[in-house]
Amino acid sequence: MASRTNRPVPPRHAPQASHGPPRQEILARLRRHGPATSADLAAEFDEDRGATSYHLRQLARFGFVAEDTGRSSGRRKYWRAVPQDMRLPRHPADPETAAAADELGRQWLASADRDLTAYLSDRHAFGDFTAAAMHSFGSTTLTADELTRFGEEYIAFLSRWYRDPEQAAPGSRHIFVVFHAFPTPEHGDAS
């Protein structure tokens, strides 16, 4: 299994580099299906090739994607997602970074909701994956330090199961995993 880069706190401008629907769609596509050229992605998303190339360069600038040198040849450059644990910054001091991180978090939630809704609306079309898929809702009581450790253990567990799309076993599918661990708001808590 491929190793993942741990990126607990993105660089100052990484949220700005990766936010925006076109960049998130490109990144999701590369994660799910593996390497592609800017021309492939432009055609797939019905986008201008120059704009797609620009988005890829911005994603590469901050380490979200990289050139797949094994596939690239001459001017035909393939891009691949860099396996990583992407997290939003916890306490960004810079207001611009905080706003970009908030927007990126909303985009992640919207994407997860769209994919889950699409799956649930036709779950029987997924064959054996229907019985294997899991939906879990639970809770516990933790200190802030324990919550931090709990999250780190979860990420380590998920990382052990990471596979690059091109190295996956026959019959594999991309699996979307969403994780939230946060204190339950009580009546009267600050909103």
Side-chain angles (χ1 to χ4, degrees), residues 10 12-21 24 87-111 180 191:
R12 182 175 177 267
H13 295 293
Q16 294 94 319
S18 65
H19 90 284
Q24 285 300 302
R87 306 179 200 184
L88 297 174
R90 290 187 173 157
H91 303 290
D94 175 55
E96 188 178 335
T97 300
D102 287 348
E103 176 58 26
L104 184 55
R106 281 190 287 278
Q107 289 175 20
W108 287 355
L109 287 173
S111 175
H180 303 280
S191 52

Side-chain angles (χ1 to χ4, degrees), residues 1-2 10 20 23 25 39 54 62 71-74 81 96 106 126-127 132 135 137 148 155-156 169 171 185:
M1 292 185 200
R23 292 182 192 162
E25 289 172 2
Y54 173 76
F62 293 101
R71 288 181 179 252
S72 297
S73 175
E96 188 178 335
R106 281 190 287 278
F126 291 85
H135 306 279
F137 182 83
T148 299
I155 295 299

